Amino acid sequence: MLKLLKVTTSAILATSIAFSLAPLASAKSKEETQIDKQSQKPKHDDKSQKPKPNEPTTDIEVLTVDQILNDPRYKELNITPEDAKLYRKIEDIKKQYPSASIDEIIKHMESSLDTVQIQLTYDQIVAQWKKLTFTEKALAIASPAQALLVDKCRAWALSYTSQSKWGNLYGNGTRNDAFRHAMWNVLMAKYIGKANAEIWANAHEAQTEEYFNQYTDGISNRDHSTMDYHNNAKGRDCIFWNEVFISDSTLFDRVTAKIDAGEMMILLPDSYQP
């Protein structure tokens, strides 16, 4: 079993601050692939003039959420205004308190979400915010636009996982879970670069001690996190710096191949039923 990579919240935040001082890695366009609305299977489109995967850019850290929505590089992610509501809210709070620290912005965000009149859409935003770890919240405040891309990569990973041959498995710790984590990470690597993908993946694992002492599907959350660190890294390994115009279907196949080859960490058998 891979030894758990221990990443503290402060360590992740320090890394994220360092990255905020340099250009973030490129968000690449989702080339040659889109989901067929009828079959929900990846298919290829002929695209040209696409940026090279993992190629540095100077603009993603300063892009706004609206610019992400209108940028052709992210067209294939199918980001909707509904998807962007939480991240626009973060931008609004930052504009209201331009001199506030990250901790202060988090408090302002939570105060705003607690006092707002309850509406269906806003309930969804509140739930979305509350699912984030403290470190994920800090990263989202540092770059709401990048957080939106990360969130859409997560959504596409869920969609692709349902299409995988393990899509009918249940429970954290199964090959379904391994595929989901690996696919999320390789999609992040494609759009925001490997280094930033690792920062976000580690931030997601930066849970509280109380969480780590609990059990999910009969296995300690600490062991689940060990599995996730391993499979996240395996997912990021499915894309290479010099690859151009790689399709999601190719990434899908590479993640599948790694699981078939026994490279992923699996804690529960396919027969598991919660």
Side-chain angles (χ1 to χ4, degrees):
M1 180 178 288
L2 183 72
K3 198 172 192 179
L4 175 61
L5 174 60
K6 296 184 178 178
V7 180
T8 65
T9 298
S10 60
I12 296 173
L13 285 174
T15 306
S16 67
I17 290 170
F19 269 77
S20 71
L21 297 177
L24 294 178
S26 168
K28 280 77 42 196
S29 71
K30 193 166 192 172
E31 61 282 74
E32 299 180 271
T33 298
Q34 61 182 184
I35 300 295
D36 187 335
K37 291 182 180 178
Q38 300 299 320
S39 65
Q40 290 297 299
K41 295 293 183 181
K43 70 178 183 180
H44 296 286
D45 278 333
D46 247 345
K47 302 281 183 181
S48 61
Q49 305 299 320
K50 298 214 174 207
K52 179 179 177 181
N54 302 312
E55 185 178 77
T57 185
T58 59
D59 64 354
I60 186 173
E61 71 173 1
V62 297
L63 287 179
T64 66
V65 169
D66 282 342
Q67 286 172 324
I68 289 288
L69 286 167
N70 295 314
D71 194 316
R73 291 175 297 177
Y74 313 115
K75 181 178 179 181
E76 297 298 335
L77 277 173
N78 294 326
I79 303 173
T80 68
E82 190 75 16
D83 297 326
K85 283 186 175 180
L86 172 62
Y87 307 101
R88 280 178 167 152
K89 178 68 176 175
I90 295 172
E91 286 183 335
D92 289 344
I93 295 292
K94 289 177 70 175
K95 288 176 183 177
Q96 290 178 45
Y97 304 99
S99 300
S101 66
I102 285 178
D103 281 349
E104 290 168 340
I105 293 293
I106 289 175
K107 290 177 181 177
H108 288 307
M109 270 292 294
E110 293 179 345
S111 175
S112 173
L113 295 178
D114 285 342
T115 58
V116 74
Q117 184 178 2
I118 300 301
Q119 298 173 350
L120 177 60
T121 299
Y122 229 98
D123 283 346
Q124 293 171 349
I125 294 175
V126 172
Q128 196 176 3
W129 174 257
K130 287 184 176 179
K131 284 180 181 178
L132 300 176
T133 66
F134 176 85
T135 315
E136 285 176 304
K137 291 175 180 177
L139 291 175
I141 289 167
S143 179
Q146 190 175 101
L148 173 59
L149 294 175
V150 168
D151 195 29
K152 283 303 292 186
C153 288
R154 183 183 289 111
W156 277 106
L158 285 169
S159 176
Y160 283 129
T161 301
S162 70
Q163 299 170 39
S164 75
K165 58 185 176 180
W166 304 288
N168 63 338
L169 300 184
Y170 297 94
N172 289 324
T174 63
R175 289 193 283 183
N176 174 294
D177 186 32
F179 186 96
R180 176 170 51 83
H181 273 267
M183 199 72 210
W184 175 44
N185 273 260
V186 74
L187 289 174
M188 286 196 294
K190 177 179 176 179
Y191 280 95
I192 64 173
K194 282 189 177 184
N196 289 302
E198 183 176 6
I199 289 171
W200 278 96
N202 289 349
H204 184 67
E205 299 303 323
Q207 301 284 350
T208 64
E209 195 64 25
E210 178 184 4
Y211 170 87
F212 286 128
N213 290 332
Q214 295 173 353
Y215 285 74
T216 303
D217 293 314
I219 295 171
S220 78
N221 286 343
R222 196 175 300 278
D223 287 340
H224 279 297
S225 189
T226 300
M227 171 182 167
D228 293 344
Y229 272 117
H230 178 88
N231 296 336
N232 290 344
K234 288 294 181 179
R236 295 189 298 271
D237 286 346
C238 289
I239 190 170
F240 304 97
W241 70 270
N242 61 341
E243 291 185 306
V244 181
F245 311 145
I246 191 166
S247 68
D248 281 8
S249 58
T250 296
L251 299 178
F252 183 104
D253 290 343
R254 287 180 181 178
V255 171
T256 300
K258 281 186 178 291
I259 296 178
D260 283 338
E263 293 186 37
M264 301 287 188
M265 184 177 292
I266 310 297
L267 299 178
L268 291 171
D270 291 354
S271 59
Y272 174 76
Q273 291 291 328

